Every structure is written in structure tokens, then in C-alpha cells.
Amino acid sequence: MAIDPTLQSGRGKVEKASAMRCILPVLFLAAAVLLAGCDFGIDTRPKGPPTATTTASQTDTELADRYHKAGGKTDVYGIESAKNDQGVLVLSVWTHRNTRYENVDNFAANLVSFLTREGVRLDRGYVLNVYGADGTRLHNLDTTPERNP
């Protein structure tokens, strides 16, 4: 019977343990990425409020005033529409609300109807972000074809 020299010295076990210490962090990182459900596609959602402030600009306020006159929600005090770097329209709405809209789809339909009458093009869909009184994002609605095939 032949004796494996690496088993006698224990050197093989040490090398295997050292290799496992190198591989384990990589495995844990891979598992974390998979469990987090990362999406490596293009993300059209903004990464937070579109401006450095939690209030609307003068132009955004004027658009909100026209929205009110057209029958829109009176708690809206600012509306901004701008295209992001992928050419997708991003709508930012500032409200005096502290809570979410019960039916954000109805709110969005009303807003989009108004913006269409104002000449805003929505042919590629849009991303809607609604911000509350303290600047917290209350809603994020993505209607782009990439997110809604």
C-alpha cells in the first residue's frame, strides 16, 4: 500500500483550505448578486430627485398652474418634463401630499392627457416620479416599452 506523502505532512490539507479561503469570497459575492436580482439592462429610472432641491422651479410651477386650470389635482405645485440620456421622457411632479395616491394610474392618465394637450410627446412612453411635501418619492411609474413589453 502506497502512502501519499502530502497526507503525512498535512501540506495538501493546508493548500486546499487556502484555496477555499480564496474561492469563498467570490462565491459569496456571486450569490449576493444573484439573490439581489440585479438587472444589467438599461435602467431608465432616475436615481433620486431630478434637481438638487425638493421644490419646483418657476417654469415647473407655471406648468402646474395650467394643469390646475385644466382640472388637474390641486395638490400638485410643480411639473417638469425632460428627456434622459436614452431619450426617454421623465416626468417629475412635486405635490403637497404626505401620502401616496390611492390610484396612481388614474393620476398618471389625467396628467398625461393634460401634457399631451400641451404638446408633450409620449410616443416612447415615460417615467413618472411623484414627490411628496418633504421631497420623498411617493411614486415611480415606468411606462417605457423596455419595461412593459
Short mmCIF file of all heavy atoms in Angstrom, two decimals, residues 82-122:
data_model
loop_
_atom_site.label_atom_id
_atom_site.label_comp_id
_atom_site.label_asym_id
_atom_site.label_seq_id
_atom_site.Cartn_x
_atom_site.Cartn_y
_atom_site.Cartn_z
N ALA A 82 -38.63 66.27 -18.98
CA ALA A 82 -37.33 66.34 -19.64
C ALA A 82 -36.94 64.95 -20.11
O ALA A 82 -37.32 63.95 -19.50
CB ALA A 82 -36.28 66.88 -18.68
N LYS A 83 -36.19 64.89 -21.18
CA LYS A 83 -35.72 63.59 -21.68
C LYS A 83 -34.40 63.24 -21.01
O LYS A 83 -33.55 64.10 -20.80
CB LYS A 83 -35.57 63.62 -23.19
CG LYS A 83 -36.92 63.78 -23.87
CD LYS A 83 -36.91 63.31 -25.26
CE LYS A 83 -38.33 63.39 -25.78
NZ LYS A 83 -38.48 62.79 -27.06
N ASN A 84 -34.26 61.94 -20.67
CA ASN A 84 -32.99 61.50 -20.08
C ASN A 84 -32.00 61.18 -21.19
O ASN A 84 -32.28 61.40 -22.38
CB ASN A 84 -33.21 60.31 -19.13
CG ASN A 84 -33.67 59.05 -19.84
OD1 ASN A 84 -33.66 58.95 -21.07
ND2 ASN A 84 -34.09 58.07 -19.06
N ASP A 85 -30.82 60.66 -20.85
CA ASP A 85 -29.77 60.41 -21.84
C ASP A 85 -30.13 59.31 -22.84
O ASP A 85 -29.49 59.20 -23.87
CB ASP A 85 -28.43 60.13 -21.17
CG ASP A 85 -28.48 58.99 -20.18
OD1 ASP A 85 -29.59 58.55 -19.80
OD2 ASP A 85 -27.41 58.53 -19.76
N GLN A 86 -31.17 58.49 -22.57
CA GLN A 86 -31.63 57.49 -23.53
C GLN A 86 -32.79 58.02 -24.37
O GLN A 86 -33.36 57.29 -25.17
CB GLN A 86 -32.08 56.21 -22.83
CG GLN A 86 -30.96 55.35 -22.31
CD GLN A 86 -30.60 55.69 -20.88
OE1 GLN A 86 -31.44 56.13 -20.11
NE2 GLN A 86 -29.35 55.52 -20.53
N GLY A 87 -33.18 59.28 -24.20
CA GLY A 87 -34.26 59.88 -24.96
C GLY A 87 -35.64 59.57 -24.40
O GLY A 87 -36.64 59.81 -25.07
N VAL A 88 -35.72 59.04 -23.19
CA VAL A 88 -37.00 58.71 -22.56
C VAL A 88 -37.47 59.92 -21.77
O VAL A 88 -36.70 60.55 -21.05
CB VAL A 88 -36.86 57.48 -21.64
CG1 VAL A 88 -38.14 57.23 -20.87
CG2 VAL A 88 -36.45 56.26 -22.43
N LEU A 89 -38.76 60.23 -21.90
CA LEU A 89 -39.34 61.35 -21.18
C LEU A 89 -39.45 61.00 -19.70
O LEU A 89 -40.01 59.96 -19.33
CB LEU A 89 -40.72 61.68 -21.74
CG LEU A 89 -41.40 62.88 -21.12
CD1 LEU A 89 -40.63 64.17 -21.46
CD2 LEU A 89 -42.83 62.98 -21.59
N VAL A 90 -38.91 61.85 -18.85
CA VAL A 90 -39.00 61.69 -17.41
C VAL A 90 -39.85 62.84 -16.88
O VAL A 90 -39.51 64.00 -17.06
CB VAL A 90 -37.61 61.69 -16.73
CG1 VAL A 90 -37.76 61.58 -15.22
CG2 VAL A 90 -36.76 60.55 -17.28
N LEU A 91 -40.98 62.48 -16.27
CA LEU A 91 -41.87 63.46 -15.68
C LEU A 91 -41.65 63.48 -14.18
O LEU A 91 -41.70 62.43 -13.53
CB LEU A 91 -43.33 63.08 -15.96
CG LEU A 91 -43.73 62.98 -17.43
CD1 LEU A 91 -45.12 62.40 -17.56
CD2 LEU A 91 -43.63 64.34 -18.09
N SER A 92 -41.42 64.66 -13.64
CA SER A 92 -41.27 64.83 -12.20
C SER A 92 -42.40 65.73 -11.74
O SER A 92 -42.62 66.80 -12.31
CB SER A 92 -39.92 65.46 -11.86
OG SER A 92 -38.88 64.62 -12.31
N VAL A 93 -43.10 65.27 -10.71
CA VAL A 93 -44.24 66.01 -10.19
C VAL A 93 -44.02 66.24 -8.70
O VAL A 93 -43.75 65.29 -7.96
CB VAL A 93 -45.56 65.24 -10.42
CG1 VAL A 93 -46.73 65.96 -9.79
CG2 VAL A 93 -45.80 65.01 -11.90
N TRP A 94 -44.11 67.50 -8.28
CA TRP A 94 -43.99 67.84 -6.86
C TRP A 94 -45.39 68.10 -6.32
O TRP A 94 -46.17 68.83 -6.95
CB TRP A 94 -43.12 69.07 -6.67
CG TRP A 94 -41.68 68.82 -6.96
CD1 TRP A 94 -40.73 68.41 -6.06
CD2 TRP A 94 -41.01 68.94 -8.21
NE1 TRP A 94 -39.51 68.28 -6.70
CE2 TRP A 94 -39.66 68.60 -8.00
CE3 TRP A 94 -41.42 69.32 -9.49
CZ2 TRP A 94 -38.72 68.62 -9.03
CZ3 TRP A 94 -40.50 69.33 -10.51
CH2 TRP A 94 -39.15 68.99 -10.26
N THR A 95 -45.71 67.51 -5.18
CA THR A 95 -47.03 67.68 -4.58
C THR A 95 -46.89 68.13 -3.12
O THR A 95 -45.81 68.01 -2.53
CB THR A 95 -47.84 66.37 -4.59
OG1 THR A 95 -47.27 65.46 -3.66
CG2 THR A 95 -47.88 65.75 -5.98
N HIS A 96 -47.99 68.59 -2.59
CA HIS A 96 -48.05 68.93 -1.17
C HIS A 96 -48.48 67.71 -0.35
O HIS A 96 -48.67 67.81 0.86
CB HIS A 96 -49.04 70.08 -0.93
CG HIS A 96 -48.57 71.38 -1.51
ND1 HIS A 96 -47.46 72.05 -1.08
CD2 HIS A 96 -49.08 72.12 -2.54
CE1 HIS A 96 -47.29 73.16 -1.79
NE2 HIS A 96 -48.26 73.22 -2.68
N ARG A 97 -48.60 66.56 -0.97
CA ARG A 97 -49.07 65.35 -0.29
C ARG A 97 -47.99 64.76 0.61
O ARG A 97 -46.80 64.88 0.34
CB ARG A 97 -49.47 64.28 -1.32
CG ARG A 97 -50.68 64.65 -2.14
CD ARG A 97 -51.04 63.55 -3.11
NE ARG A 97 -51.43 62.33 -2.43
CZ ARG A 97 -52.66 62.02 -2.07
NH1 ARG A 97 -53.63 62.85 -2.31
NH2 ARG A 97 -52.92 60.88 -1.48
N ASN A 98 -48.46 64.09 1.65
CA ASN A 98 -47.57 63.34 2.53
C ASN A 98 -47.72 61.84 2.31
O ASN A 98 -46.92 61.06 2.82
CB ASN A 98 -47.87 63.66 4.00
CG ASN A 98 -47.51 65.09 4.35
OD1 ASN A 98 -46.47 65.58 3.94
ND2 ASN A 98 -48.37 65.76 5.07
N THR A 99 -48.76 61.45 1.57
CA THR A 99 -49.03 60.03 1.31
C THR A 99 -49.18 59.79 -0.18
O THR A 99 -49.41 60.73 -0.95
CB THR A 99 -50.32 59.58 2.03
OG1 THR A 99 -51.41 60.37 1.54
CG2 THR A 99 -50.20 59.73 3.54
N ARG A 100 -49.09 58.54 -0.53
CA ARG A 100 -49.20 58.13 -1.93
C ARG A 100 -50.63 58.32 -2.44
O ARG A 100 -51.58 58.32 -1.66
CB ARG A 100 -48.82 56.65 -2.06
CG ARG A 100 -47.38 56.39 -1.64
CD ARG A 100 -47.07 54.91 -1.53
NE ARG A 100 -47.36 54.14 -2.72
CZ ARG A 100 -46.48 53.87 -3.69
NH1 ARG A 100 -45.26 54.30 -3.59
NH2 ARG A 100 -46.83 53.16 -4.73
N TYR A 101 -50.78 58.46 -3.76
CA TYR A 101 -52.11 58.46 -4.36
C TYR A 101 -52.66 57.05 -4.31
O TYR A 101 -51.92 56.08 -4.57
CB TYR A 101 -52.04 58.93 -5.83
CG TYR A 101 -51.81 60.40 -5.98
CD1 TYR A 101 -50.59 60.89 -6.40
CD2 TYR A 101 -52.82 61.31 -5.71
CE1 TYR A 101 -50.37 62.26 -6.54
CE2 TYR A 101 -52.62 62.68 -5.86
CZ TYR A 101 -51.39 63.13 -6.27
OH TYR A 101 -51.18 64.49 -6.41
N GLU A 102 -53.93 56.92 -3.99
CA GLU A 102 -54.54 55.58 -3.93
C GLU A 102 -54.50 54.91 -5.29
O GLU A 102 -54.22 53.73 -5.40
CB GLU A 102 -55.98 55.66 -3.43
CG GLU A 102 -56.08 55.69 -1.93
CD GLU A 102 -57.52 55.58 -1.47
OE1 GLU A 102 -58.30 54.83 -2.08
OE2 GLU A 102 -57.84 56.26 -0.49
N ASN A 103 -54.82 55.67 -6.33
CA ASN A 103 -54.81 55.11 -7.68
C ASN A 103 -53.89 55.97 -8.55
O ASN A 103 -54.34 56.90 -9.22
CB ASN A 103 -56.23 55.07 -8.25
CG ASN A 103 -56.29 54.26 -9.53
OD1 ASN A 103 -55.29 54.10 -10.23
ND2 ASN A 103 -57.47 53.75 -9.83
N VAL A 104 -52.62 55.63 -8.53
CA VAL A 104 -51.63 56.41 -9.28
C VAL A 104 -51.86 56.30 -10.79
O VAL A 104 -51.54 57.22 -11.53
CB VAL A 104 -50.19 56.01 -8.90
CG1 VAL A 104 -49.83 54.64 -9.43
CG2 VAL A 104 -49.20 57.05 -9.39
N ASP A 105 -52.47 55.22 -11.25
CA ASP A 105 -52.75 55.08 -12.69
C ASP A 105 -53.73 56.14 -13.17
O ASP A 105 -53.56 56.71 -14.24
CB ASP A 105 -53.27 53.68 -13.00
CG ASP A 105 -52.21 52.60 -12.81
OD1 ASP A 105 -51.01 52.91 -12.99
OD2 ASP A 105 -52.57 51.46 -12.47
N ASN A 106 -54.78 56.41 -12.38
CA ASN A 106 -55.73 57.47 -12.74
C ASN A 106 -55.06 58.83 -12.72
O ASN A 106 -55.27 59.66 -13.61
CB ASN A 106 -56.93 57.47 -11.80
CG ASN A 106 -57.89 56.34 -12.07
OD1 ASN A 106 -57.81 55.66 -13.08
ND2 ASN A 106 -58.80 56.12 -11.14
N PHE A 107 -54.23 59.07 -11.71
CA PHE A 107 -53.49 60.33 -11.63
C PHE A 107 -52.60 60.48 -12.86
O PHE A 107 -52.58 61.54 -13.50
CB PHE A 107 -52.65 60.37 -10.35
CG PHE A 107 -51.69 61.54 -10.32
CD1 PHE A 107 -52.15 62.82 -10.07
CD2 PHE A 107 -50.34 61.34 -10.55
CE1 PHE A 107 -51.27 63.90 -10.04
CE2 PHE A 107 -49.46 62.41 -10.53
CZ PHE A 107 -49.92 63.69 -10.28
N ALA A 108 -51.87 59.42 -13.21
CA ALA A 108 -50.95 59.46 -14.36
C ALA A 108 -51.72 59.69 -15.66
O ALA A 108 -51.29 60.49 -16.51
CB ALA A 108 -50.14 58.17 -14.43
N ALA A 109 -52.85 59.02 -15.83
CA ALA A 109 -53.65 59.18 -17.06
C ALA A 109 -54.13 60.63 -17.20
O ALA A 109 -54.08 61.21 -18.30
CB ALA A 109 -54.83 58.22 -17.04
N ASN A 110 -54.58 61.22 -16.11
CA ASN A 110 -55.04 62.60 -16.13
C ASN A 110 -53.89 63.54 -16.47
O ASN A 110 -54.03 64.44 -17.31
CB ASN A 110 -55.64 62.95 -14.76
CG ASN A 110 -56.20 64.34 -14.71
OD1 ASN A 110 -55.47 65.32 -14.81
ND2 ASN A 110 -57.51 64.44 -14.51
N LEU A 111 -52.74 63.33 -15.86
CA LEU A 111 -51.55 64.16 -16.10
C LEU A 111 -51.09 64.03 -17.55
O LEU A 111 -50.81 65.03 -18.22
CB LEU A 111 -50.43 63.78 -15.14
CG LEU A 111 -49.12 64.51 -15.32
CD1 LEU A 111 -49.27 65.99 -14.99
CD2 LEU A 111 -48.04 63.89 -14.45
N VAL A 112 -51.01 62.81 -18.04
CA VAL A 112 -50.54 62.56 -19.41
C VAL A 112 -51.50 63.17 -20.43
O VAL A 112 -51.07 63.74 -21.44
CB VAL A 112 -50.35 61.04 -19.64
CG1 VAL A 112 -50.20 60.72 -21.09
CG2 VAL A 112 -49.14 60.56 -18.84
N SER A 113 -52.79 63.08 -20.17
CA SER A 113 -53.78 63.69 -21.05
C SER A 113 -53.55 65.21 -21.14
O SER A 113 -53.54 65.79 -22.23
CB SER A 113 -55.19 63.39 -20.53
OG SER A 113 -56.15 64.06 -21.30
N PHE A 114 -53.32 65.83 -20.01
CA PHE A 114 -53.02 67.26 -19.97
C PHE A 114 -51.73 67.57 -20.74
O PHE A 114 -51.70 68.49 -21.57
CB PHE A 114 -52.91 67.75 -18.52
CG PHE A 114 -52.23 69.08 -18.39
CD1 PHE A 114 -52.87 70.26 -18.75
CD2 PHE A 114 -50.92 69.15 -17.93
CE1 PHE A 114 -52.23 71.48 -18.65
CE2 PHE A 114 -50.28 70.37 -17.82
CZ PHE A 114 -50.93 71.54 -18.18
N LEU A 115 -50.67 66.82 -20.46
CA LEU A 115 -49.38 67.09 -21.11
C LEU A 115 -49.45 66.89 -22.62
O LEU A 115 -48.82 67.62 -23.38
CB LEU A 115 -48.29 66.21 -20.50
CG LEU A 115 -47.91 66.57 -19.06
CD1 LEU A 115 -46.96 65.53 -18.48
CD2 LEU A 115 -47.30 67.95 -18.98
N THR A 116 -50.22 65.91 -23.06
CA THR A 116 -50.40 65.69 -24.50
C THR A 116 -51.06 66.90 -25.14
O THR A 116 -50.64 67.35 -26.21
CB THR A 116 -51.23 64.41 -24.75
OG1 THR A 116 -50.57 63.31 -24.14
CG2 THR A 116 -51.41 64.14 -26.22
N ARG A 117 -52.07 67.46 -24.46
CA ARG A 117 -52.71 68.68 -24.98
C ARG A 117 -51.73 69.86 -24.99
O ARG A 117 -51.85 70.77 -25.79
CB ARG A 117 -53.95 69.02 -24.15
CG ARG A 117 -55.09 68.05 -24.34
CD ARG A 117 -56.39 68.53 -23.71
NE ARG A 117 -56.29 68.90 -22.30
CZ ARG A 117 -56.48 68.05 -21.29
NH1 ARG A 117 -56.74 66.77 -21.52
NH2 ARG A 117 -56.37 68.47 -20.04
N GLU A 118 -50.75 69.83 -24.08
CA GLU A 118 -49.72 70.88 -24.02
C GLU A 118 -48.64 70.69 -25.09
O GLU A 118 -47.74 71.49 -25.21
CB GLU A 118 -49.05 70.88 -22.65
CG GLU A 118 -49.92 71.42 -21.54
CD GLU A 118 -49.93 72.94 -21.50
OE1 GLU A 118 -48.86 73.57 -21.57
OE2 GLU A 118 -51.03 73.50 -21.39
N GLY A 119 -48.70 69.58 -25.82
CA GLY A 119 -47.73 69.33 -26.89
C GLY A 119 -46.56 68.42 -26.50
O GLY A 119 -45.62 68.26 -27.28
N VAL A 120 -46.60 67.82 -25.33
CA VAL A 120 -45.54 66.91 -24.90
C VAL A 120 -45.74 65.57 -25.60
O VAL A 120 -46.84 65.01 -25.59
CB VAL A 120 -45.54 66.72 -23.36
CG1 VAL A 120 -44.51 65.70 -22.93
CG2 VAL A 120 -45.30 68.06 -22.68
N ARG A 121 -44.70 65.06 -26.23
CA ARG A 121 -44.78 63.78 -26.97
C ARG A 121 -44.46 62.63 -26.04
O ARG A 121 -43.47 62.65 -25.32
CB ARG A 121 -43.81 63.80 -28.14
CG ARG A 121 -44.23 64.89 -29.15
CD ARG A 121 -43.57 64.71 -30.44
NE ARG A 121 -43.74 63.33 -30.89
CZ ARG A 121 -43.42 62.91 -32.08
NH1 ARG A 121 -42.91 63.74 -32.93
NH2 ARG A 121 -43.58 61.67 -32.42
N LEU A 122 -45.32 61.61 -26.08
CA LEU A 122 -45.18 60.44 -25.21
C LEU A 122 -45.11 59.14 -26.02
O LEU A 122 -45.46 58.09 -25.51
CB LEU A 122 -46.38 60.38 -24.25
CG LEU A 122 -46.57 61.61 -23.38
CD1 LEU A 122 -47.93 61.60 -22.74
CD2 LEU A 122 -45.50 61.66 -22.33
#
